[in-house]
Amino acid sequence: MLSPAALENFEIRAQKLSASNSWTLPLSARLLSGEEVNLYRLRNGFFKRIDFKLIRQSQDEMIVSSEALKAGDEIVTNGIGFLRIAELAAFGGVAHGHSH
């Protein structure tokens, strides 16, 4: 969970999902981390990195599905780099004083 100030300062933006089994998202929503590719879901004020299935992709967007998503969830489309750093720091993945 992040404060409203953090959301604004780090320009975290999200796209709300409608009722569907698949969703069209901008490619900027993908988190590329090593060999993993994930999305950040926002539900009830909490962010969670989730897996997804890529159905189709174009130059600018992708169509995805995921059992971890439902209508009303939001997918982070901007600021995912900051969320990844915050996640690593919160769960011990970043050495103290070294967060880049």
Side-chain angles (χ1 to χ4, degrees), residues 2 6-7 10-12 40 79-88:
L2 295 174
L7 294 173
F10 293 103
E11 299 179 351
I12 306 294
Y40 274 109
I80 61 171
F82 170 76
L83 288 178
R84 181 65 177 144
I85 291 169
E87 177 186 31
L88 289 170

Side-chain angles (χ1 to χ4, degrees), residues 16-36:
K16 192 166 198 157
L17 301 179
S18 60
S20 178
N21 291 328
S22 64
W23 297 274
T24 301
L25 300 169
L27 290 180
S28 64
R30 293 181 305 178
L31 170 67
L32 306 172
S33 177
E35 294 182 9
E36 291 188 45

Side-chain angles (χ1 to χ4, degrees), residues 15-97:
Q15 176 179 322
K16 192 166 198 157
L17 301 179
S18 60
S20 178
N21 291 328
S22 64
W23 297 274
T24 301
L25 300 169
L27 290 180
S28 64
R30 293 181 305 178
L31 170 67
L32 306 172
S33 177
E35 294 182 9
E36 291 188 45
V37 181
N38 302 106
L39 300 171
Y40 274 109
R41 178 189 72 200
L42 175 59
R43 183 186 288 167
N44 299 323
F46 291 91
F47 295 93
K48 181 175 182 177
R49 189 164 40 104
I50 62 162
D51 293 326
F52 68 97
K53 178 182 176 189
L54 179 65
I55 297 171
R56 190 167 45 246
Q57 180 179 322
S58 69
Q59 275 188 307
D60 302 322
E61 59 187 19
M62 60 187 170
I63 300 173
V64 304
S65 67
S66 176
E67 293 183 11
L69 295 173
K70 64 182 183 180
D73 285 344
E74 294 182 68
I75 296 296
V76 176
T77 58
N78 191 63
I80 61 171
F82 170 76
L83 288 178
R84 181 65 177 144
I85 291 169
E87 177 186 31
L88 289 170
F91 295 105
V94 175
H96 181 69

